[in-house]
Amino acid sequence: MLESLDPRVNRLGLPDSFGSPFGSSSLDQFETYEAFVMTKPGKPFEHVGIVHAPNEEMAWLFSKEQYTRRGMIYCALCVIKTENVKVSAVTDNDLDVYTTIEGEYSGQEKDSFEVFHLIKRGKQHKHSGSVMAADFEDAMRSANQSIERPKTVYNVWIAKTEDIFSSDEEDADIWDTLKEKKYRDAIDYKAADKIKAFKEEQA
Amino acid sequence: MYGGGNTFEAMKATALVDEDPIKLAEFEARIERGEKIEPSDWMPQLYRKQLIRMIEQHAHSEIIGALPEGTWITRAPGFKRKLALMAKVQDEVGHAQLLYGAAETLGKSREDMIQDLINGKSKYSNIFNYPAFTWADSCFISWLVDAGAIVNQVANSKGSYGPYCRALERICAEESFHLKYGHHCVIHLATGTKKQREMMQAAVNRWWAPMMHFFGPSDKISVHSEILMKWKVKMASNDECRQQFLDMYVPKIWELGLTIPDDKLMKNEATGQWEYTEPDWDEFKRVINGDGPCNKERLAVRRKAEERGRWVREALLAPKAKYVTPLA
Ligand SMILES: [Fe+2]
Ligand SMILES: [Fe+2]
């Protein structure tokens, strides 16, 4: 029921015309990592996109560059290698994806898993809780029992807690540098006065 | 910037015959209900193919679009303008990253996309095949080319493919800075000395034709895109986007005392539509197919950047490798 989030794991049956004429260039092919940000302390991590990187430290750094510019101020960032994220099917209509799962939670507490829910279509996945379970499928069943769901869940991502690479709390000051860069914001560019003065002068 | 005037692949009448009719009907019903399609969902091959093509073109336009403006960073007048332009160019390259990421969820690797850009197989926004001779050209791009791109991007952000919409939402937030910055620059020149005004006017004269081309061929002659509209791949027709742009920006250009080099340009108050001289679509085709003033240079710069960056990518892949002096 759960599949890998990584499109490279199965190339999704692409038409031949997308095959590269150069063969696979293994040297250039970095792994992809999914980046998640926390907008305010206490808020859940939410997905922002992917980065390509050779390892998780670099993935974290690239994500910081890529996703925390331009007044998008966050307080924490974490990355997970795409192939380590398992994804459920997306449901149709108002169907909750948890209603489609089969089997019972094993009760085993072998590994810790983080669960991300999609509760608004077209929006990003948000962290909604952690569970203990035997494997990914089992984690889904465990989440079904223990994670509260005030809203319909259309899709679920699950990753092992140990596969998450996160910023240290003591490094919180890395988020402080953006405030003085007003020139990067639309608000710093006022035009109305100058246009008005120009029009008056012309009249 | 800069998703404008996408070229879509000509579609064969048989494009959908191999698709499972039940799955296709479910897929279309989901889009009809306003649901977003996510990477792991079933989708027709044609949908996947056209989306890859469109998002990829958009990504290429962002990095190629950064080239004409990028060359003006060191020559921008004053420290503030340099800082702002540097931030804008950095954004554009960041947009490309977001978009390559969105396209990759459809199954084409970033390496393949970049190869296809360099070898000329993929297109990018035609307007960047023209040179930015003066600082005023750079200002025109920042304000009006970005404005055109915003018209397209806002429309596309309501499309059906989830990862593309999410990338566009972030991009549009940053574009508002580009637009305001660009407007600020143009106002400064247009309300400045005689020489500054002339420089700005010359830039408008140079860029108007490419700007009209930006939204792509007129609906009268462009490929039939009904199914792309139905699938919410394409959200507005080329002419609709062009009309919206004219409606929002022609008055803003005129109020600065600038003129637009088209005597037929006027709003028909009866129809609410702008009338203009039909752009030269032969020129558009000629340039997009490789024969514009800067096509070769743009790709050469990209190719060189790819080559020069290779050692960095290789080094990143082998962080523990040590340099060993050869014995002989
Ligand atoms: Fe832009
Ligand atoms: Fe952009």
PDB file of all heavy atoms in Angstrom, chain B residues 1-3 58 61-62 88 91-96 99 146 149 153 171 174-175 178, ligand 2:
ATOM      1  N   MET B   1      10.449  35.745 -12.353  1.00  0.00           N
ATOM      2  CA  MET B   1      10.227  35.408 -13.716  1.00  0.00           C
ATOM      3  C   MET B   1      10.043  33.907 -13.906  1.00  0.00           C
ATOM      4  O   MET B   1      10.277  33.192 -12.973  1.00  0.00           O
ATOM      5  CB  MET B   1      11.445  35.848 -14.490  1.00  0.00           C
ATOM      6  CG  MET B   1      11.008  36.691 -15.617  1.00  0.00           C
ATOM      7  SD  MET B   1      12.364  37.580 -16.326  1.00  0.00           S
ATOM      8  CE  MET B   1      12.648  38.817 -15.137  1.00  0.00           C
ATOM      9  N   TYR B   2       9.835  33.416 -14.966  1.00  0.00           N
ATOM     10  CA  TYR B   2       9.516  33.997 -16.255  1.00  0.00           C
ATOM     11  C   TYR B   2       8.714  32.999 -17.069  1.00  0.00           C
ATOM     12  O   TYR B   2       9.130  32.578 -18.123  1.00  0.00           O
ATOM     13  CB  TYR B   2      10.749  34.293 -17.128  1.00  0.00           C
ATOM     14  CG  TYR B   2      11.787  35.131 -16.462  1.00  0.00           C
ATOM     15  CD1 TYR B   2      12.868  34.554 -15.848  1.00  0.00           C
ATOM     16  CD2 TYR B   2      11.637  36.507 -16.452  1.00  0.00           C
ATOM     17  CE1 TYR B   2      13.823  35.349 -15.237  1.00  0.00           C
ATOM     18  CE2 TYR B   2      12.605  37.292 -15.849  1.00  0.00           C
ATOM     19  CZ  TYR B   2      13.694  36.711 -15.241  1.00  0.00           C
ATOM     20  OH  TYR B   2      14.628  37.479 -14.635  1.00  0.00           O
ATOM     21  N   GLY B   3       7.670  32.485 -16.613  1.00  0.00           N
ATOM     22  CA  GLY B   3       6.952  31.487 -17.406  1.00  0.00           C
ATOM     23  C   GLY B   3       6.067  32.155 -18.410  1.00  0.00           C
ATOM     24  O   GLY B   3       4.984  32.595 -18.090  1.00  0.00           O
ATOM     25  N   HIS B  58       9.702  26.515 -18.037  1.00  0.00           N
ATOM     26  CA  HIS B  58       9.620  27.582 -17.048  1.00  0.00           C
ATOM     27  C   HIS B  58      10.919  27.652 -16.240  1.00  0.00           C
ATOM     28  O   HIS B  58      11.481  28.728 -16.034  1.00  0.00           O
ATOM     29  CB  HIS B  58       8.406  27.321 -16.140  1.00  0.00           C
ATOM     30  CG  HIS B  58       8.092  28.440 -15.202  1.00  0.00           C
ATOM     31  ND1 HIS B  58       6.983  28.444 -14.416  1.00  0.00           N
ATOM     32  CD2 HIS B  58       8.758  29.584 -14.911  1.00  0.00           C
ATOM     33  CE1 HIS B  58       6.969  29.557 -13.676  1.00  0.00           C
ATOM     34  NE2 HIS B  58       8.032  30.257 -13.967  1.00  0.00           N
ATOM     35  N   SER B  61      13.679  29.089 -18.268  1.00  0.00           N
ATOM     36  CA  SER B  61      13.500  30.534 -18.444  1.00  0.00           C
ATOM     37  C   SER B  61      14.025  31.294 -17.235  1.00  0.00           C
ATOM     38  O   SER B  61      14.530  32.407 -17.368  1.00  0.00           O
ATOM     39  CB  SER B  61      12.025  30.872 -18.642  1.00  0.00           C
ATOM     40  OG  SER B  61      11.516  30.176 -19.745  1.00  0.00           O
ATOM     41  N   GLU B  62      13.885  30.702 -16.061  1.00  0.00           N
ATOM     42  CA  GLU B  62      14.380  31.381 -14.858  1.00  0.00           C
ATOM     43  C   GLU B  62      15.907  31.508 -14.899  1.00  0.00           C
ATOM     44  O   GLU B  62      16.442  32.586 -14.643  1.00  0.00           O
ATOM     45  CB  GLU B  62      13.982  30.618 -13.582  1.00  0.00           C
ATOM     46  CG  GLU B  62      12.482  30.453 -13.393  1.00  0.00           C
ATOM     47  CD  GLU B  62      11.777  31.679 -12.827  1.00  0.00           C
ATOM     48  OE1 GLU B  62      12.452  32.644 -12.438  1.00  0.00           O
ATOM     49  OE2 GLU B  62      10.537  31.672 -12.787  1.00  0.00           O
ATOM     50  N   LYS B  88      17.623  39.848  -6.624  1.00  0.00           N
ATOM     51  CA  LYS B  88      16.641  39.416  -7.616  1.00  0.00           C
ATOM     52  C   LYS B  88      17.183  38.268  -8.448  1.00  0.00           C
ATOM     53  O   LYS B  88      16.511  37.264  -8.657  1.00  0.00           O
ATOM     54  CB  LYS B  88      16.269  40.595  -8.530  1.00  0.00           C
ATOM     55  CG  LYS B  88      15.297  40.190  -9.622  1.00  0.00           C
ATOM     56  CD  LYS B  88      14.957  41.333 -10.551  1.00  0.00           C
ATOM     57  CE  LYS B  88      13.846  40.944 -11.514  1.00  0.00           C
ATOM     58  NZ  LYS B  88      14.235  39.920 -12.482  1.00  0.00           N
ATOM     59  N   ASP B  91      17.146  35.176  -6.606  1.00  0.00           N
ATOM     60  CA  ASP B  91      15.789  34.626  -6.565  1.00  0.00           C
ATOM     61  C   ASP B  91      15.483  33.825  -7.821  1.00  0.00           C
ATOM     62  O   ASP B  91      14.905  32.746  -7.760  1.00  0.00           O
ATOM     63  CB  ASP B  91      14.750  35.750  -6.530  1.00  0.00           C
ATOM     64  CG  ASP B  91      14.589  36.351  -5.149  1.00  0.00           C
ATOM     65  OD1 ASP B  91      15.234  35.867  -4.211  1.00  0.00           O
ATOM     66  OD2 ASP B  91      13.806  37.301  -5.034  1.00  0.00           O
ATOM     67  N   GLU B  92      15.837  34.398  -8.976  1.00  0.00           N
ATOM     68  CA  GLU B  92      15.472  33.754 -10.236  1.00  0.00           C
ATOM     69  C   GLU B  92      16.120  32.370 -10.333  1.00  0.00           C
ATOM     70  O   GLU B  92      15.497  31.398 -10.750  1.00  0.00           O
ATOM     71  CB  GLU B  92      15.884  34.602 -11.442  1.00  0.00           C
ATOM     72  CG  GLU B  92      15.362  36.041 -11.445  1.00  0.00           C
ATOM     73  CD  GLU B  92      13.845  36.160 -11.463  1.00  0.00           C
ATOM     74  OE1 GLU B  92      13.146  35.146 -11.361  1.00  0.00           O
ATOM     75  OE2 GLU B  92      13.354  37.311 -11.565  1.00  0.00           O
ATOM     76  N   VAL B  93      17.363  32.303  -9.914  1.00  0.00           N
ATOM     77  CA  VAL B  93      18.039  31.011  -9.948  1.00  0.00           C
ATOM     78  C   VAL B  93      17.379  30.059  -8.944  1.00  0.00           C
ATOM     79  O   VAL B  93      17.178  28.873  -9.231  1.00  0.00           O
ATOM     80  CB  VAL B  93      19.550  31.179  -9.666  1.00  0.00           C
ATOM     81  CG1 VAL B  93      20.239  29.828  -9.654  1.00  0.00           C
ATOM     82  CG2 VAL B  93      20.179  32.074 -10.723  1.00  0.00           C
ATOM     83  N   GLY B  94      16.967  30.613  -7.814  1.00  0.00           N
ATOM     84  CA  GLY B  94      16.220  29.813  -6.838  1.00  0.00           C
ATOM     85  C   GLY B  94      14.901  29.315  -7.410  1.00  0.00           C
ATOM     86  O   GLY B  94      14.489  28.174  -7.160  1.00  0.00           O
ATOM     87  N   HIS B  95      14.240  30.157  -8.224  1.00  0.00           N
ATOM     88  CA  HIS B  95      12.985  29.717  -8.843  1.00  0.00           C
ATOM     89  C   HIS B  95      13.232  28.516  -9.738  1.00  0.00           C
ATOM     90  O   HIS B  95      12.430  27.588  -9.787  1.00  0.00           O
ATOM     91  CB  HIS B  95      12.372  30.851  -9.677  1.00  0.00           C
ATOM     92  CG  HIS B  95      11.940  32.016  -8.851  1.00  0.00           C
ATOM     93  ND1 HIS B  95      11.553  33.210  -9.388  1.00  0.00           N
ATOM     94  CD2 HIS B  95      11.842  32.155  -7.506  1.00  0.00           C
ATOM     95  CE1 HIS B  95      11.236  34.048  -8.411  1.00  0.00           C
ATOM     96  NE2 HIS B  95      11.406  33.430  -7.263  1.00  0.00           N
ATOM     97  N   ALA B  96      14.340  28.563 -10.467  1.00  0.00           N
ATOM     98  CA  ALA B  96      14.665  27.435 -11.335  1.00  0.00           C
ATOM     99  C   ALA B  96      14.789  26.162 -10.497  1.00  0.00           C
ATOM    100  O   ALA B  96      14.274  25.108 -10.873  1.00  0.00           O
ATOM    101  CB  ALA B  96      15.953  27.706 -12.100  1.00  0.00           C
ATOM    102  N   LEU B  99      11.453  24.859  -9.561  1.00  0.00           N
ATOM    103  CA  LEU B  99      10.713  24.318 -10.698  1.00  0.00           C
ATOM    104  C   LEU B  99      11.313  23.010 -11.195  1.00  0.00           C
ATOM    105  O   LEU B  99      10.583  22.081 -11.548  1.00  0.00           O
ATOM    106  CB  LEU B  99      10.666  25.359 -11.819  1.00  0.00           C
ATOM    107  CG  LEU B  99       9.816  26.592 -11.453  1.00  0.00           C
ATOM    108  CD1 LEU B  99      10.155  27.765 -12.341  1.00  0.00           C
ATOM    109  CD2 LEU B  99       8.333  26.259 -11.531  1.00  0.00           C
ATOM    110  N   ASP B 146       9.050  40.770 -15.815  1.00  0.00           N
ATOM    111  CA  ASP B 146       8.566  40.100 -14.606  1.00  0.00           C
ATOM    112  C   ASP B 146       7.056  40.259 -14.457  1.00  0.00           C
ATOM    113  O   ASP B 146       6.368  39.338 -14.037  1.00  0.00           O
ATOM    114  CB  ASP B 146       9.280  40.632 -13.352  1.00  0.00           C
ATOM    115  CG  ASP B 146      10.594  39.906 -13.125  1.00  0.00           C
ATOM    116  OD1 ASP B 146      11.417  39.902 -14.052  1.00  0.00           O
ATOM    117  OD2 ASP B 146      10.778  39.328 -12.037  1.00  0.00           O
ATOM    118  N   ALA B 149       5.474  37.783 -16.601  1.00  0.00           N
ATOM    119  CA  ALA B 149       5.630  36.449 -16.022  1.00  0.00           C
ATOM    120  C   ALA B 149       4.653  36.246 -14.875  1.00  0.00           C
ATOM    121  O   ALA B 149       4.095  35.160 -14.709  1.00  0.00           O
ATOM    122  CB  ALA B 149       7.060  36.270 -15.528  1.00  0.00           C
ATOM    123  N   GLN B 153       2.131  33.280 -14.206  1.00  0.00           N
ATOM    124  CA  GLN B 153       2.364  32.417 -13.045  1.00  0.00           C
ATOM    125  C   GLN B 153       1.182  32.393 -12.095  1.00  0.00           C
ATOM    126  O   GLN B 153       0.864  31.363 -11.513  1.00  0.00           O
ATOM    127  CB  GLN B 153       3.632  32.869 -12.315  1.00  0.00           C
ATOM    128  CG  GLN B 153       4.864  32.500 -13.104  1.00  0.00           C
ATOM    129  CD  GLN B 153       6.155  33.089 -12.589  1.00  0.00           C
ATOM    130  OE1 GLN B 153       7.224  32.732 -13.040  1.00  0.00           O
ATOM    131  NE2 GLN B 153       6.070  34.006 -11.648  1.00  0.00           N
ATOM    132  N   ILE B 171       7.062  31.229  -5.561  1.00  0.00           N
ATOM    133  CA  ILE B 171       7.667  32.092  -6.569  1.00  0.00           C
ATOM    134  C   ILE B 171       6.928  33.423  -6.661  1.00  0.00           C
ATOM    135  O   ILE B 171       7.545  34.489  -6.688  1.00  0.00           O
ATOM    136  CB  ILE B 171       7.694  31.360  -7.929  1.00  0.00           C
ATOM    137  CG1 ILE B 171       8.731  30.236  -7.872  1.00  0.00           C
ATOM    138  CG2 ILE B 171       7.982  32.333  -9.061  1.00  0.00           C
ATOM    139  CD1 ILE B 171       8.717  29.311  -9.070  1.00  0.00           C
ATOM    140  N   GLU B 174       7.857  35.984  -4.131  1.00  0.00           N
ATOM    141  CA  GLU B 174       9.122  36.680  -4.382  1.00  0.00           C
ATOM    142  C   GLU B 174       9.016  37.641  -5.555  1.00  0.00           C
ATOM    143  O   GLU B 174       9.682  38.679  -5.591  1.00  0.00           O
ATOM    144  CB  GLU B 174      10.242  35.669  -4.636  1.00  0.00           C
ATOM    145  CG  GLU B 174      10.479  34.794  -3.425  1.00  0.00           C
ATOM    146  CD  GLU B 174      11.707  33.913  -3.538  1.00  0.00           C
ATOM    147  OE1 GLU B 174      12.231  33.710  -4.645  1.00  0.00           O
ATOM    148  OE2 GLU B 174      12.141  33.419  -2.495  1.00  0.00           O
ATOM    149  N   GLU B 175       8.192  37.282  -6.523  1.00  0.00           N
ATOM    150  CA  GLU B 175       8.061  38.134  -7.708  1.00  0.00           C
ATOM    151  C   GLU B 175       7.549  39.522  -7.351  1.00  0.00           C
ATOM    152  O   GLU B 175       7.838  40.489  -8.047  1.00  0.00           O
ATOM    153  CB  GLU B 175       7.123  37.514  -8.744  1.00  0.00           C
ATOM    154  CG  GLU B 175       7.636  36.254  -9.412  1.00  0.00           C
ATOM    155  CD  GLU B 175       8.896  36.442 -10.237  1.00  0.00           C
ATOM    156  OE1 GLU B 175       9.308  37.597 -10.469  1.00  0.00           O
ATOM    157  OE2 GLU B 175       9.482  35.433 -10.644  1.00  0.00           O
ATOM    158  N   HIS B 178      10.367  41.728  -7.095  1.00  0.00           N
ATOM    159  CA  HIS B 178      10.979  42.046  -8.390  1.00  0.00           C
ATOM    160  C   HIS B 178      10.207  43.157  -9.097  1.00  0.00           C
ATOM    161  O   HIS B 178      10.780  44.089  -9.652  1.00  0.00           O
ATOM    162  CB  HIS B 178      10.995  40.820  -9.311  1.00  0.00           C
ATOM    163  CG  HIS B 178      11.713  39.659  -8.703  1.00  0.00           C
ATOM    164  ND1 HIS B 178      11.757  38.421  -9.285  1.00  0.00           N
ATOM    165  CD2 HIS B 178      12.416  39.546  -7.543  1.00  0.00           C
ATOM    166  CE1 HIS B 178      12.459  37.608  -8.528  1.00  0.00           C
ATOM    167  NE2 HIS B 178      12.861  38.263  -7.464  1.00  0.00           N
TER     168      HIS B 178
HETATM  169 FE    FE C   2      11.313  34.190 -11.256  1.00  0.00          FE
END
